[in-house]
Amino acid sequence: MSTRKAFLAATASGALLAAAPPSAQPSGSPSPSPKPSKISGAARELAKSMRRFDPQLTDKDLETIAQNIDGNLKLGNAIDPKGRALKNWDEPAATFEAAE
């Protein structure tokens, strides 16, 4: 990992992936061929660490997990290209109140 922030983002995305339900595709439709993309070594290592939780994960499962980790990191960079982190004192712009 190049930075601690990238490691934490990858770890968080792995937890989200583990909690997500598997996508169901109809058996009659062909699955789209994924574009080959370069997966970072850190994402591969983090995906390999998922075997501690589920030793029955296949190599293909680990590749999918690693691709999704990298995808989440790219999405985070697209949302905030400067990589700013929220501070503890940052609050939402809107204040919500209940009307009587």
Side-chain angles (χ1 to χ4, degrees):
M1 273 299 141
S2 59
T3 64
R4 183 175 63 157
K5 188 188 308 184
F7 173 77
L8 292 174
T11 304
S13 65
L16 291 174
L17 289 174
S23 63
Q25 286 193 2
S27 60
S29 67
S31 62
S33 58
K35 293 187 293 184
S37 62
K38 185 175 180 181
I39 300 173
S40 68
R44 286 185 197 277
E45 290 301 317
L46 184 59
K48 284 181 187 177
S49 72
M50 298 294 170
R51 279 207 169 124
R52 287 184 291 178
F53 305 106
D54 187 1
Q56 298 165 344
L57 287 172
T58 65
D59 290 338
K60 185 177 179 182
D61 293 336
L62 294 179
E63 283 294 311
T64 302
I65 291 170
Q67 285 176 348
N68 289 331
I69 289 170
D70 273 348
N72 286 342
L73 288 173
K74 289 176 187 172
L75 178 63
N77 288 336
I79 292 172
D80 186 15
K82 293 184 180 180
R84 295 174 295 231
L86 292 175
K87 306 291 184 212
N88 285 340
W89 55 83
D90 287 337
E91 296 181 8
T95 304
F96 299 98
E97 295 181 17
E100 292 183 31

